[in-house]
Amino acid sequence: MSEQIRIEQDGRVLRVTFNRPEDNGVSDSMAAALSAALATAHETSDVVVVSSVGPDFCTGRIRDAGGPPAAEAYARRPEYDAIFNSYKSVRSAQVPVVGILRGRVMGYGTALAALCDVSFAADTATFNIPEITHNVMPTMVMSALYDRVNRNAILWMAYSAEFIDAKQAKDWGIVSQVVAQDKLDATAAGFLDVLLSRPRPAILGLKEYLRVAPRMDEQAAIDYARALHSMVNTSAAMKKAH
């Protein structure tokens, strides 16, 4: 597993790198390793960076070596938990997750790109949801996109399975920024420098609010903003920043 996914501490940055350049797929065990890393990332880091080795960020989910999927639906359902749990882990991570995307971003890759809190895509990157071409319902990916991307865009991508370019992905809310390919890593590094210059309570508080508030009614979201605003802005770290 350590060969397929690299998890490395780099100062206050936790770097998670998919390392299957032979096929650029992400296996269920790799997704589980990502979940485990994100669950404890806040203990050592202020940000997690997810990237990949090879020409493509991710060409989709692949099964670990083993037998065929279970024939019965009830028995098969847990076989997908590693993927669903990895989606939840990005949403639940206490620190922001930053994606660096290049090449093809397909299926699981598109889901992960949309879930990242901030993502940078090379201007040559392309995105799609190919599951239906394999007679597979793409609801796994859709469960990651439903509150990130507008309904019409999701359905067009799911039905057509066609690739969109990075600019379209940005317009639809899948990525944050589109950058010339030769400047992708430098641009992401510059953003990380800016992010790490912010006080830690603000780094954590921004993600916490957007993780919780969208599920609240209007008044609850306002009240939560007031409470979090007071709590973060009175922290010692914020006072040092001034």
Side-chain angles (χ1 to χ4, degrees), residues 45-238:
S45 313
D46 288 337
V47 62
V48 176
V49 175
V50 181
S51 61
S52 63
V53 173
D56 300 308
F57 175 67
C58 170
T59 55
R61 170 196 179 241
I62 56 177
R63 287 174 52 84
D64 288 305
E72 296 294 330
Y74 196 78
R76 181 181 296 192
R77 185 171 60 175
E79 296 180 6
Y80 305 109
D81 283 352
I83 300 301
F84 286 114
N85 289 343
S86 70
Y87 295 163
K88 183 178 180 180
S89 72
V90 180
R91 295 179 185 273
S92 301
Q94 294 186 38
V95 295
V97 180
V98 174
I100 302 177
L101 318 169
R102 50 172 47 89
R104 290 177 296 172
V105 184
M106 303 172 63
Y108 180 81
T110 296
L112 195 57
L115 287 167
C116 284
D117 301 294
V118 177
S119 52
F120 297 89
D123 56 0
T124 53
T126 55
F127 301 73
N128 86 328
I129 302 173
E131 279 80 350
I132 204 166
T133 64
H134 305 295
N135 293 331
V136 174
M137 276 284 289
T139 45
M140 294 175 72
V141 175
M142 292 171 72
S143 74
L145 302 183
Y146 77 92
D147 61 345
R148 288 339 199 228
V149 180
N150 77 66
R151 177 182 183 277
N152 287 13
I154 293 172
L155 286 174
W156 182 87
M157 292 186 74
Y159 283 132
S160 75
E162 292 184 17
F163 280 96
I164 60 172
D165 62 21
K167 181 181 181 302
Q168 187 69 74
K170 180 177 181 292
D171 291 345
W172 282 351
I174 298 172
V175 302
S176 305
Q177 294 292 326
V178 177
V179 182
Q181 180 167 304
D182 61 351
K183 297 180 179 178
L184 179 63
D185 292 327
T187 301
F191 172 76
L192 291 176
D193 288 342
V194 171
L195 176 64
L196 294 174
S197 73
R198 308 309 186 202
R200 180 174 168 85
I203 293 174
L204 300 180
L206 284 166
K207 176 152 188 181
E208 179 179 335
Y209 185 74
L210 285 180
R211 181 177 68 244
V212 177
R215 296 194 294 271
M216 295 177 164
D217 63 34
E218 180 182 4
Q219 188 58 54
I222 293 170
D223 290 343
Y224 183 50
R226 294 173 65 225
L228 196 59
H229 182 271
S230 297
M231 183 176 70
V232 170
N233 286 335
T234 55
S235 66
M238 295 296 284

